[in-house]
Amino acid sequence: MAASENLVSRVLRQPDVTFRYSIADWDLLVRQARSAGLLARVRHVLAQHDMIEAIPAEARWHFDAAATLADKQQLAVRWEVQKIREALAELAIPVIVLKGGAYVLANSPAATGRLFNDIDILVPRDQLGPVEAALLLAGWHPTSLSDYDQRYYRRWMHEIPPLQHVQRATVIDVHHAILPDTARYHPDPDKLRSRAVAVAGLPGVYVLSPEDRILHSATHLFHDGELPHGLRDLTDLDLLLRDAAVDRDFWLRLIARAEELQLCRPLFYALRYLRYFLDTPIPDSVMASLQAFAPNRATLVLMDGIFTRVLAPMHTSCADALTPVARLAAFVRAHWLRMPVHLLIPHLFHKAFISPYLDNGTPKAA
């Protein structure tokens, strides 16, 4: 597996290592944690170990500022979900909040120190039109995408193009499934909805069940070709698993649910790299149960070479000569999983050679 100076993972695994850190080490930790979107979460871990006072003043304000931003964003997420609920109230459909927003609404430990780029919701496919119309009336409008990307989203993807509020600039991703129809795996959205958990105080708003939250997070992580915050998403999974595993029957339920939803392969990868980066306590029996869904040995060596690089913080200190190749491989792999070859090749050709230019043929501004 790839070797790197990944201070963020090291501190999350063993916070007291920072007692030996020089100012230069703290500076590098701040830079890596910021690039990974984990400044606030690292601060929280240090606070849990009563180590805030041990952070040098030159570094502490970076962690404090990130924690303040994370707290404000959690309030903003609750506010935005309320506004989404109001906008969709007349449709009388279940609105399932996904990923980071769900962690906040469920009061999950995975919400701690979590920063947000958007709010993801899952709605029935046959309600996409009414949902989009209602959100448009409430002030969320399509973001600037090329005509090609608009068509690509609506024809092939499991979501419509992102919507951004004209006043608050908040972004909503509206999903009808958690993977595209053309993907290799087909978790049934109806099965996800069947176990959704109602959010207290927000009628009509739900989050996925604990097992489905974990499986969705793993699936999203290992089907995404661009991973600027891959380590952040991995720490989400770490916190979700540690919280759920207090129930002695949890692991059996998780594996059974992964089989039901055809998501054992992404779960295998998630657990493998959780052990590697964060020493997440995963029973050997669980890994043995998932071994039947692991790739062959040669493929696994290749995946290790890719994911031990691309899941590290996107910082030069965590990179080696093969990191750019690994990132390209992750990008191609994600698209290969999403669509068959006869769709993949024209799409990659368009993104590589046509998308860099505007409709009039002039290069896009940097």
Side-chain angles (χ1 to χ4, degrees), residues 4 24 31 52 83 87 113 139 164 181 217 225 261 275 293 316 345-346:
S4 63
R31 294 173 187 274
I52 295 298
K83 292 300 178 183
Q164 185 172 38
D181 291 341
S217 181
L261 294 174
R275 278 183 161 185
F293 303 96
T316 55
I345 293 176

Side-chain angles (χ1 to χ4, degrees), residues 1-4 6 221-227 230-231 234 269 272-273 276-277 295 297-314 318-337:
M1 292 189 178
S4 63
N6 183 348
L221 180 58
F222 289 98
H223 283 75
D224 191 349
E226 299 179 49
L227 296 162
L231 185 59
L234 207 60
Y269 283 135
R272 181 174 180 84
Y273 299 116
Y276 176 79
F277 282 97
R297 183 170 298 182
T299 300
L300 190 55
V301 170
L302 177 62
M303 292 301 102
D304 285 346
I306 293 171
F307 285 115
T308 56
R309 290 176 171 88
V310 302
L311 293 176
M314 192 179 285
C318 295
D320 62 16
L322 293 177
T323 298
V325 177
R327 293 199 178 280
L328 177 61
F331 177 82
V332 174
R333 172 186 176 273
H335 283 77
W336 179 67
L337 290 174

Side-chain angles (χ1 to χ4, degrees), residues 41 43-52 239:
R41 187 159 284 171
R43 186 195 185 281
H44 176 73
V45 169
L46 294 174
Q48 285 183 312
H49 290 78
D50 297 321
M51 296 175 58
I52 295 298
L239 293 168

Side-chain angles (χ1 to χ4, degrees), residues 21-200:
Y21 277 9
S22 65
I23 289 295
D25 292 328
W26 279 105
D27 176 71
L28 184 57
L29 175 62
V30 166
R31 294 173 187 274
Q32 289 185 5
R34 179 179 287 114
S35 70
L38 284 170
L39 268 172
R41 187 159 284 171
V42 170
R43 186 195 185 281
H44 176 73
V45 169
L46 294 174
Q48 285 183 312
H49 290 78
D50 297 321
M51 296 175 58
I52 295 298
E53 297 303 318
I55 305 175
E58 297 91 335
R60 192 183 309 166
W61 74 269
H62 293 282
F63 292 101
D64 290 346
T68 299
L69 175 60
D71 290 342
K72 288 184 176 180
Q73 285 196 347
Q74 291 209 16
L75 293 174
V77 165
R78 293 182 180 276
W79 169 264
E80 289 299 328
V81 170
Q82 173 65 29
K83 292 300 178 183
I84 294 169
R85 186 187 74 86
E86 293 172 0
L88 302 180
E90 291 189 7
L91 299 181
I93 60 171
V95 177
I96 300 176
V97 180
L98 303 172
K99 297 193 289 189
Y103 309 155
V104 172
L105 296 180
N107 296 313
S108 168
T112 305
R114 183 63 149 76
L115 297 177
F116 300 86
N117 299 317
D118 50 35
I119 296 176
D120 298 80
I121 63 174
L122 177 71
V123 301
R125 184 197 294 260
D126 61 6
Q127 293 296 311
L128 280 176
V131 166
E132 185 173 8
L135 291 173
L136 287 171
L137 287 174
W140 280 280
H141 290 188
T143 55
S144 298
L145 292 176
S146 68
D147 290 343
Y148 174 85
D149 285 338
Q150 289 277 347
R151 290 193 300 271
Y152 173 74
Y153 264 99
R154 295 185 185 280
R155 184 172 183 182
W156 302 117
M157 290 298 287
H158 53 299
E159 57 186 313
I160 64 174
L163 302 173
Q164 185 172 38
H165 199 275
V166 294
Q167 293 177 323
R168 300 189 297 275
T170 52
V171 176
I172 302 176
D173 284 338
V174 181
H175 300 248
H176 62 80
I178 63 172
L179 284 175
D181 291 341
T182 54
R184 290 171 176 245
Y185 308 109
H186 299 93
D188 186 346
D190 289 337
K191 290 183 178 179
L192 295 172
R193 279 191 286 271
S194 71
R195 295 193 187 178
V197 180
V199 176

Side-chain angles (χ1 to χ4, degrees), residues 249-260:
D249 295 326
F250 160 73
W251 290 108
L252 292 175
R253 293 200 308 271
L254 180 64
I255 294 172
R257 187 62 164 167
E259 292 189 45
E260 181 182 2

